[in-house]
Amino acid sequence: MLDGRRHYKKAKDIIHITGMPQEAVSAEGILSYIDKNGPFNSEDYANSIQEDHQKVVGIIKSLQGLGQVVNVEQVTRKHWELTDEGRDVARTGSHEAKVFNAVPPEGIAQSELMSSVPNAKIGFSKAVSCGWVRVDKGPAGARVCRRVQSVTDVVRLHLAALQDSADADVSEKLKAEYKKRKLLQEVVSKSYTVSKGADFTLNIEKPETDLTPEMIASGSWRSKTFKPYNFSALGVPPARGHLHPLLKVRAEFRQIFLEMGFSEMPTNRYVESSFWNFDALFQPQQHPARDAHDTFFISDPATSVSLPADYLPKVKRVHSQGGFGSQGYGYDWKLEEAQKNLLRTHTTAVSARMLRQLAQEKEFRPVKYFSIDRVFRNETLDATHLAEFHQVEGLVADRGLTLGHLMGVINEFFKKLGIEQIRFKPAYNPYTEPSMEIFSWHAGLGKWVEIGNSGVFRPEMLLPMGLPEDVNVIAWGLSLERPTMIKYKLDNIRDLCGHRVDLQMVASNPICRLDKQSGAARPDPRLARLERRQQAVLDELAGLGLMLDECRQRRGLAPSSAAPAAAAGPPPERLRVAVYAAPDRPPLSVGLLCRLLATHAPVWCRAHLHSSCAAPPAAAAAARLLPPPNGVSPAAAALHLTLIWRPGPLRTVVSPLAAPPLQGEAVAARLLARLLQPWRPRLYAESPAVDAWLDQADELAAAGADRKARAALVSAAAAALSGRRWLLGAEATLADVVVWSVLTQLDAVSPPLRRWADAVAALT
Ligand code: PHE
């Protein structure tokens, strides 16, 4: 960028330099305006010169770019503006005036009036409340008559005045009233206050952007100002090559194979003989796939001449006569058919060559091979099929491999791709037995989709090669295109390969990273949707609750002893709990813990009457349960507790979000106690003894009226309390709270338990 003139030209486009013809608005104009009049507001200035505000803002921004020439400060302003309806009223009169004007001195039938004036309903009620008209109910129906001779349409006058000037003399109260009537609206606008800066000047000198050899030679650089570097400017992206999405996904697949200890097979033979592509794989010569409709045969050179002389007769024999325990196909195998050249239809041809090579080694050694490369099929082209695609293929050769190994390896392989849910379906390949298609669960489509093919290579393929009899080879293959299309969200394969590919797509697509985390750990979108809905409902409920509280407060209904939350800092975590409880069995432990928590942390509680609940719980009982409202907003609360009264012999159900509902008061109490832990560690202290009490209390709560169970708990409590203050020693625990709650609900607090029960109740 040695040519400074280019920058010069550009700068001229943005700011108007001294001597340039001036337009209505220019940097020059703005500077001399400040010089003469002092600081100004961009919006006022734009109005005064009748110019578009955005244009003025643009120039201010460019002046700002010059450094300290001007100081710019953003301001937000509100002003009143007439709505469309308001403008209409200002022009033709208010609805009430129109109604009044439509009433003749002798009166008019109400029905006629209502149908003859636009917006008659609003206008009529306003005219009545202004005392302009009245309704006489006579035998002939309602008639509307004038109550005054004439009226002044103040609304229209006010609006017209406001239309002329925002400063018109209309009281704020009236403006608010007109806003409510949707005649006026408050508009917020952003503008800038511009004042002289430290380097204020009337002559904007365009700073130099380049130091040129001429400047150095002439020494003129000494007197020039140079534009400071803009280090946050985005650079020009360097021109470079880009990897095609397929190559990026291929790199990921290759990485997975390498991680699993596989080595890559040489895949450079696109042209292959039928022998290696089909015959070596025990695919009979009359197999339909060997037809020109399915396979591209090569015309020049049409045949291969060098087929392995020692191996070829064995392949011929297994096809035509059988062997190695197989009957073969029993047909006349022809060399000419095997010699035909073709574009390989699968990379399993490569696998065959590699396995034959392996069999020729002196001693067998286990191998794990993979390849990812192009194969060709004579397909009808459509959105998902091309005549060529890439195959990903893996194989393992070792002694004693079974179908179980194959399924295990495939599972492992796909897990590394982020696919956890795999299913197998029996299938047929000429070269594998058994064969399985591989399906995976597609969460987006909500169904199982085929993602690959696999199997155990047949002895008719392996034994003629010379591999030991106890060696098995397990293998699988899939296309590279399908996962690539899914990953890059393409639904037409022709957007991925071929002449229609958008090179910009190739250039701008991100690198590929497969989600290698476990599939199970990924959230189910349906669950997330449900959670969002639940959250929305809870939020709505929260808002309703707040409104209700306000109403109650205004009517003096709210309990007076407010206990504002005193927690320092944000809540450690937020728990949302819904407790369903029967009104005749209020879960007192939940109430107690909740109120206790409210003295330490922001708690937001709500009681809700289920539609199946005929009678609300006694006010006193309800008041004992939840802490009085303390002005905590739902957003700031550490606990959202929704208590839903629902009748019946029902146990308390706690349902924290995203968990199956938990049963029982003890569980609810435990959850709340855990939140209380920072302040009341002893209360929460987990111990088998506490658990035992909670279980017993819960059992009784479920059994309810069972007298024996009740008596057992009462006497156990009495025994534990003889000589002690609390059920479990020196400090109150959750056991005390829950046992107390259940016994109180069942009205089973006997005299020896009274003192203890009172002490528990007083814990708050
Ligand atoms: N060659 C098979 C195909 O074209 C894939 C495959 C490879 C199947 C290895 C089984 C074993 O689909």
Side-chain angles (χ1 to χ4, degrees), residues 517-529:
Q517 86 210 80
S518 103
R522 245 168 291 146
D524 182 337
R526 287 168 302 175
L527 202 65
R529 226 177 301 138

Side-chain angles (χ1 to χ4, degrees), residues 624-690:
R624 279 179 78 183
L625 268 177
L626 297 181
N630 58 5
V632 170
S633 85
L639 171 72
H640 282 195
L641 182 93
T642 308
L643 187 73
I644 300 161
W645 296 115
R646 192 162 67 174
L650 187 93
R651 299 176 68 191
T652 308
V653 178
V654 184
S655 64
L657 287 192
L662 305 167
Q663 299 277 336
E665 188 173 334
V667 176
R670 212 192 274 284
L671 270 169
L672 295 177
R674 188 163 62 75
L675 280 187
L676 258 173
Q677 202 179 11
W679 304 280
R680 299 286 183 125
R682 290 295 162 83
L683 201 61
Y684 180 67
E686 289 200 60
S687 80
V690 171

Side-chain angles (χ1 to χ4, degrees), residues 244-524:
H244 188 274
L246 275 176
L247 297 183
K248 296 189 240 188
V249 177
R250 187 181 70 173
E252 285 283 290
F253 271 93
R254 178 177 275 137
Q255 193 54 42
I256 287 170
F257 275 117
L258 294 175
E259 267 170 32
M260 292 174 74
F262 284 65
S263 35
E264 190 159 8
M265 298 186 273
T267 47
N268 47 353
R269 283 176 206 266
Y270 287 8
V271 176
E272 190 48 280
S273 62
S274 292
F275 179 80
W276 286 111
N277 195 80
F278 294 126
D279 297 279
L281 292 167
F282 196 53
Q283 189 144 338
Q285 294 190 328
Q286 56 280 30
H287 192 281
R290 301 179 69 149
D291 197 281
H293 291 294
D294 288 299
T295 301
F296 292 115
F297 288 93
I298 305 286
S299 46
D300 189 17
T303 56
S304 286
V305 279
S306 58
L307 296 178
D310 50 340
Y311 170 47
L312 194 126
K314 294 182 183 147
V315 172
K316 174 177 178 168
R317 196 174 326 119
V318 81
H319 278 247
S320 49
Q321 297 160 29
F324 315 102
S326 166
Q327 295 185 347
Y329 294 115
Y331 70 98
D332 185 14
W333 187 88
K334 293 211 166 63
L335 178 64
E336 306 80 71
E337 198 58 43
Q339 282 175 326
K340 283 186 184 166
N341 281 337
L342 44 74
L343 288 174
R344 72 172 171 227
T345 63
H346 53 186
T347 44
T348 317
V350 181
S351 303
R353 278 182 180 270
M354 292 299 285
L355 286 170
R356 160 71 184 160
Q357 205 176 312
L358 180 70
Q360 283 176 301
E361 288 181 18
K362 249 196 3 250
E363 188 120 0
F364 171 79
R365 65 184 167 92
V367 297
K368 296 193 268 188
Y369 289 148
F370 79 95
S371 67
I372 310 171
D373 209 342
R374 231 171 253 213
V375 298
F376 309 85
R377 291 185 193 174
N378 198 351
E379 300 256 16
T380 315
L381 310 188
D382 62 27
T384 52
H385 293 91
L386 287 182
E388 59 173 278
F389 64 97
H390 290 74
Q391 217 166 36
V392 179
E393 178 148 332
L395 69 85
V396 183
D398 201 352
R399 297 199 145 88
L401 289 178
T402 64
L403 193 66
H405 290 106
L406 177 59
M407 294 165 88
V409 173
I410 289 175
N411 256 316
E412 194 57 32
F413 174 77
F414 283 102
K415 216 175 2 193
K416 283 176 180 284
L417 287 172
I419 299 172
E420 290 246 315
Q421 274 172 292
I422 294 269
R423 261 188 198 175
F424 298 98
K425 182 179 151 192
Y428 173 78
N429 295 313
Y431 37 90
T432 53
E433 181 58 35
S435 312
M436 304 177 301
E437 279 167 0
I438 310 164
F439 285 75
S440 87
W441 176 254
H442 193 298
L445 297 174
K447 63 175 185 186
W448 293 92
V449 294
E450 197 200 323
I451 51 168
N453 188 1
S454 67
V456 182
F457 282 136
R458 293 185 80 103
E460 289 96 326
M461 166 182 166
L462 300 182
L463 296 179
M465 289 175 171
L467 282 167
E469 269 196 46
D470 56 348
V471 167
N472 280 337
V473 180
I474 55 179
W476 71 101
L478 58 141
S479 92
L480 184 63
E481 276 74 0
R482 181 170 254 176
T484 306
M485 285 170 69
I486 293 172
K487 201 73 202 161
Y488 285 91
K489 300 198 166 59
L490 299 169
D491 57 7
N492 193 328
I493 199 164
R494 284 169 284 204
D495 294 332
L496 184 67
C497 312
H499 62 282
R500 287 212 335 224
V501 168
D502 173 9
L503 288 180
Q504 193 51 46
M505 176 280 283
V506 176
S508 56
N509 257 329
I511 58 166
C512 167
R513 283 278 173 274
L514 301 169
D515 306 326
K516 285 163 202 138
Q517 86 210 80
S518 103
R522 245 168 291 146
D524 182 337

